[in-house]
Structure formats: C-alpha cells, structure tokens
C-alpha cells in the first residue's frame, strides 16, 4: 500500500505542490532581515511539506506552527528511556503524541468531510483507497498511526540532507554555477527565472549534473549511519558464524568511507558520479544512502525529488551567504547536522540580480 504513495504517478502529482511549498519557504527566508538557522528552518520546511503535500491537510499557518512545536517535542523524546515518571522524557513524548494525534484526528475528519477542490490524490487519499480495495476500511486509529508514520519518515532525514545541500553549495560556488549552467542548457532557467511549466518529472530526471550533486551530498553526509536486518539463514563472514535469528547492523557511513571504489572519500566531488567515472557502478552495495535489498527505503524517490526541487530553486531564485566567519562542525546524532544549525543570510532577488545571474550563466557556458 505504501509503495503506491511513492509511485511515478504519485510523484508527478506531488511535484507542483512541493515546488510551491519550497518557493514560499525561500521567499520567507529572503524576507527575514536576520540570518536563519538552516537546520531548524529545514525541519519546518519538511514538516510543512509532509502536512500540505503528502497528507493534503488544510491547516492554518498559526495552527501548523503549534503542531510543529508539539511534533518536535515528540521527536526529541522518541529515544528516551521507557520510564513513565512525571517530567521524564518518556512522559513528555507520550503527552506530545497524544496532543499530535488529537490534532491529526481533527485534520483527518475535516479532510474526509471536505473532498471538493482536490486536483490530485495525496498519500492519505491513496492509503484510504488502498484499504478499501483490500476490503478493509481503515479505522481512525490506523489513519492517525499511518499519518504520523508518514510525517516521521519525511521529516528528520530530509531536513538533514537539505541542510547538507545548502552548506555544500555555500562551500563550493562552482558547483552552484555549474548547476545553473545545466538548468540554462535544458531550457529551465532563462534570464535568471525558471521558465513556466518547465519543471516536470521527466525534465528533472534529465538533469544529470543535478543528480550527481544530490548523490554526492547523500554519499558524504548520509543522514543516518546504518540500518538493522534479521539473519534469515546462518552464514559465515570472515571466519565468524552469524546464527539465524540474530540481528545485525550494517553501516552506511563506514561503507561510503571505506569502499575502495571512492577516490578521496572526504572530498565533495559530484563529478565522481558522472558517466565517465561512475565510481559506484561496479558494486551493488558500494553506495546505499537509502539502504539496500528488498528493505530499501520506500520514500527514496520522493526524498531525492524534494532535494532536487530545492536545489533548482536555490540555484535559480536565491542568493545566500554564510552568516558566520567559519563553517560549523558536524554532529552525527540523531541525524547528521551542523552543530549550530548553520547560520545563513538569504537575500531576495530583484530584476537586476536576475540579470546578473543570467550573465553568470552565459559566462559559465563559455568557460566550463
């Protein structure tokens, strides 16, 4: 059922809504006279994307802001010790979940009652219809649990990768310029503006350098460190017997760091994934930011589409600079993110600045 939520047809219908959420967010960032905490704002962005796009909820902005604060409290206490005492993290997490589910139940009921004006089937619509197709009417509790799971899946890891993307574009302006050149050569970017109707799923899929940039962000800054699997059949690895039924953990980060196929593993180099090099081509599990095998992440195509849409908007309609003297250190828990959240100042683009960007594209076309 969940696989339908991330099908090609579903992603095509989500794309215009994703673009709108990203555009509105970047406009708000640019109108802020102060620098922003990118990681915190990226969390708000991915939460808003899940609520507005995946679930199709029409929650007012003020109420959405309150729901986000409650959701953050829930997430912060997910991994707390299961000790149910007053003022414990566990108790705070349980209370936050109860508050969340009340808000979600209200939004679900309003959605079920108001089906007019819909121009696409969102993830919750697909979930409900798939239940009916299988002869099972989903209960309100099942809908709330499914809704919360979708938000959780779309939230932390995508916010982490979005922050890493912005930081690498700041660190490597030539990468940003090369992205603009590709957008211009494909007829997507003209005179510093995105051509109307040019961003479709097939067009985005044809942007090979953009794909390399996103792949390299996810290689070097994989949001989570690894995953767990259960051993289905006893096997031997390097002289050690691993019994059936045991749990094993594989490390995504160590795989990306130690796989002999990656040259200069600590260097941000999108060109390593160009067709001429394709450093990951010879190994099925040399590159696995979304896991691998039959249990690979179901939402990986949505995550990559979101990151590509964000990169396109950043390259086309935004000007931004680091607001601190040095780049922050990176911490790996609970997901990869800058220690101080990455302070960045965004600027709005007027027509003159658009012309400057267009001129930069033209010069780049003659020099790359």
């Amino acid at each position: 059922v969940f696989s339908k939520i991330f099908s090609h047809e579903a992603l095509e219908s989500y794309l215009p809504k994703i673009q709108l959420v990203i555009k509105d967010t970047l406009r708000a960032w640019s109108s802020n006279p102060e620098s922003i905490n990118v990681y915190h704002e990226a969390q708000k962005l991915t939460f808003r994307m899940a609520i507005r796009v995946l679930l199709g909820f029409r929650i007012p902005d003020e109420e959405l802001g309150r729901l986000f604060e409650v959701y953050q409290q829930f997430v912060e206490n997910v991994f707390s010790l299961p000790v149910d005492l007053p003022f414990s993290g566990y108790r705070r997490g349980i209370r936050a979940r109860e508050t969340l589910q009340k808000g979600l139940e209200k939004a679900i009921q309003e959605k079920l009652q108001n089906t007019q004006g819909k121009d696409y089937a969102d993830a919750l619509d697909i979930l409900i219809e798939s239940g009916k197709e299988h002869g099972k009417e989903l209960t309100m509790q099942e809908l709330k649990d499914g809704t919360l799971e979708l938000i959780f899946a779309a939230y932390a890891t995508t916010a982490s990768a979005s922050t890493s993307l912005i930081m690498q574009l700041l660190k490597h302006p030539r990468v940003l310029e090369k992205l603009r050149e590709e957008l211009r050569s494909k007829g997507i970017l003209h005179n510093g503006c995105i051509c109307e109707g040019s961003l479709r799923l097939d067009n985005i899929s044809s942007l090979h350098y953009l794909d390399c940039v996103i792949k390299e962000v996810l290689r070097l800054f994989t949001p989570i460190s690894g995953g767990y699997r259960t051993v289905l059949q006893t096997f031997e690895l390097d002289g050690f017997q691993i019994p059936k039924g045991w749990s094993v953990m594989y490390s995504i980060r160590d795989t990306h760091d130690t796989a002999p196929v990656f040259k200069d593993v600590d260097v941000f180099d999108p060109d390593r994934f160009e067709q001429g090099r394709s450093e990951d081509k010879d190994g099925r599990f040399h590159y696995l930011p979304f896991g691998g095998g039959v249990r690979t992440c179901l939402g990986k195509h949505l995550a990559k589409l979101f990151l590509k849409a964000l990169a396109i908007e950043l390259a086309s309609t935004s000007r931004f600079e680091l607001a601190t003297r040095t780049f922050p250190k990176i911490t790996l828990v609970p997901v990869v993110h800058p220690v101080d959240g990455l302070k960045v100042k965004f600027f709005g683009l007027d027509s003159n600045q658009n012309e400057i960007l267009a001129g930069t594209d033209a010069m780049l076309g003659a020099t790359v």
Side-chain angles (χ1 to χ4, degrees), residues 103-119:
L104 292 175
E105 182 170 349
K106 177 185 174 186
I108 292 169
Q109 287 175 337
E110 289 175 355
K111 179 185 176 71
L112 294 175
Q113 292 168 5
N114 185 8
T115 57
Q116 302 300 315
K118 289 271 308 182
D119 58 350

Side-chain angles (χ1 to χ4, degrees), residues 299-344:
K300 65 180 181 180
H301 296 301
L302 175 63
K304 288 192 288 188
L305 179 62
F306 178 85
L307 291 171
K308 288 179 180 181
L310 176 60
I312 289 170
E313 289 295 336
L314 288 168
S316 305
T317 63
S318 296
R319 187 166 64 89
F320 46 101
E321 62 184 34
L322 189 67
T324 53
R325 295 183 65 180
T326 59
F327 284 95
K329 293 181 179 179
I330 300 295
T331 182
L332 306 180
V333 291
V335 294
V336 170
H337 69 280
V339 172
D340 75 345
L342 186 63
K343 306 292 175 55
V344 174

Side-chain angles (χ1 to χ4, degrees), residues 93-105:
I94 291 293
R95 285 178 176 170
R97 186 182 69 177
E98 290 171 352
T99 304
L100 267 176
Q101 291 205 336
K102 286 178 183 177
L104 292 175
E105 182 170 349

